[in-house]
């Protein structure tokens, strides 16, 4: 199954979450502070990271911020139920999902499964994967943009752009039909599992972050258009 790194300073949560994930076949490595967790994530990148927000030495948001400088690995953040700002900031920094504490182990497993499936780590049998390779696995080219789902590669005018799993799926959904408007609900369906609810601000945060990444390689990038009150569309140059 998947290799998962869990970073949380609460020993009870680390124990219970590790046992739950391991019971589903995952390999779990746990760390109790942000500095140790970041070092492990950079030295031995897992398939998925689970980060608590409030930790000693370095909080989860700073770990995520530094991680996103070099990595697009899937990340789930754990946040206190009343800290909405954590969710907004987490998505702005490139988190793929979040969970409120306290949470049920069953829900956590479903969220982990959903994020890993979106990342292509699990959830697809070989026969299905082989069949999908013909169409969904083909590289998508739209003007200066090239998306390769099989390799999770994104190029703009030949230059690599590092996208998270969620960002890649959102962009893929937009680029598949240039000129057509996608509502935020449409984009949620493309990037998230049915059991995962996100609000409009989450999609807006991902789009904002994507634009910033593309403008780092092309200051004139304007291929993702906002139609206020309606949604977004991809404009092929």
């Amino acid at each position: 199954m998947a290799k998962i790194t869990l970073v949380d300073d609460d020993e009870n949560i680390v124990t219970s979450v590790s046992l739950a994930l391991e019971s589903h076949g995952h390999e779990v490595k746990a760390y109790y502070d942000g500095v140790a967790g970041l070092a492990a994530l950079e030295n031995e990148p897992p398939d998925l990271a689970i980060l608590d927000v409030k930790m000693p030495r370095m909080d989860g948001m700073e770990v995520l911020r530094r991680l996103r400088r070099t990595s697009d690995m899937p990340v789930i953040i754990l946040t206190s139920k009343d800290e909405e700002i954590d969710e907004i900031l987490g998505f702005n920094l490139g988190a793929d999902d979040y969970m409120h504490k306290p949470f049920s182990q069953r829900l956590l497993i479903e969220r982990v499964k959903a994020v890993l499936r979106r990342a292509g780590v699990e959830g697809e049998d070989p026969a299905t994967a082989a069949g999908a390779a013909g169409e969904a696995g083909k590289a998508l080219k739209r003007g200066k943009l090239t998306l390769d789902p099989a390799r999770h590669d994104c190029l703009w005018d030949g230059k690599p752009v590092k996208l998270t799993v969620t960002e890649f799926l959102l962009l893929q959904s937009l680029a598949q039909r240039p000129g057509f408007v996608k509502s935020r609900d449409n984009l949620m369906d493309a990037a998230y599992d049915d059991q995962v609810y996100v609000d409009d601000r989450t999609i807006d945060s991902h789009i904002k972050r994507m634009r910033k990444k593309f403008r780092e390689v092309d200051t004139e990038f304007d291929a993702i258009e906002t139609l206020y009150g309606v949604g977004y569309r991809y404009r092929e140059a």
Side-chain angles (χ1 to χ4, degrees):
M1 299 292 277
K3 294 181 179 180
I4 298 174
T5 295
L6 171 64
V7 189
D8 195 309
D9 64 329
D10 188 318
E11 188 171 349
N12 291 327
I13 288 179
V14 168
T15 299
S16 61
V17 169
S18 296
L19 288 173
L21 293 170
E22 288 169 351
S23 71
H24 283 73
H26 300 299
E27 178 185 331
V28 181
K29 291 186 177 180
Y31 300 87
Y32 293 88
D33 68 76
V35 172
L38 178 62
L41 291 168
E42 291 178 333
N43 294 330
E44 297 182 69
D47 297 309
L48 170 70
I50 301 175
L51 307 176
D52 185 30
V53 171
K54 294 178 173 62
M55 292 186 294
R57 301 180 70 195
M58 183 186 296
D59 65 39
M61 293 305 182
E62 183 61 21
V63 173
L64 178 58
R65 181 182 288 108
R66 297 192 186 192
L67 185 65
R68 282 292 179 250
R69 293 174 183 170
T70 58
S71 174
D72 57 2
M73 77 173 62
V75 173
I76 296 175
I77 57 174
L78 306 179
T79 178
S80 300
K81 192 169 185 178
D82 58 346
E83 294 293 336
E84 183 182 31
I85 187 64
D86 288 344
E87 299 162 21
I88 297 171
L89 179 57
F91 282 124
N92 280 332
L93 293 175
D96 293 280
D97 204 350
Y98 66 88
M99 291 197 65
H100 292 303
K101 292 182 178 182
F103 51 81
S104 73
Q105 301 302 333
R106 180 178 299 178
L107 179 58
L108 172 66
I109 294 300
E110 289 304 314
R111 291 293 182 89
V112 166
K113 187 186 299 183
V115 172
L116 289 173
R117 182 163 53 248
R118 295 190 337 246
V121 177
E122 65 168 27
E124 190 171 44
D125 61 65
T128 301
E135 291 300 324
K138 285 184 178 179
L140 176 68
K141 295 186 178 182
R142 295 286 186 265
K144 295 181 179 181
L145 176 69
T146 301
L147 290 175
D148 187 343
R151 294 180 174 82
H152 191 75
D153 284 343
C154 174
L155 299 176
W156 180 259
D157 201 17
K159 300 174 183 177
V161 180
K162 292 184 71 65
L163 300 178
T164 67
V165 173
T166 305
E167 291 164 355
F168 190 96
L169 292 172
L170 290 172
L171 180 58
Q172 184 180 39
S173 177
L174 288 167
Q176 281 172 341
R177 303 193 71 189
F180 284 80
V181 179
K182 292 289 184 78
S183 69
R184 290 172 177 81
D185 287 342
N186 294 150
L187 294 172
M188 288 177 199
D189 291 342
Y192 289 91
D193 234 60
D194 290 341
Q195 68 265 35
V196 178
Y197 172 77
V198 296
D199 62 22
D200 289 354
R201 290 171 301 176
T202 300
I203 299 299
D204 294 341
S205 293
H206 286 305
I207 296 293
K208 180 180 178 181
R209 183 175 171 81
M210 261 198 292
R211 283 175 173 149
K212 181 180 178 182
K213 290 182 177 182
F214 277 97
R215 284 169 183 161
E216 287 174 355
V217 300
D218 180 358
T219 57
E220 302 299 319
F221 176 82
D222 61 355
I224 301 175
E225 293 184 307
T226 301
L227 282 82
Y228 292 98
V230 181
Y232 296 94
R233 70 181 170 195
Y234 184 84
R235 183 174 65 84
E236 187 172 357

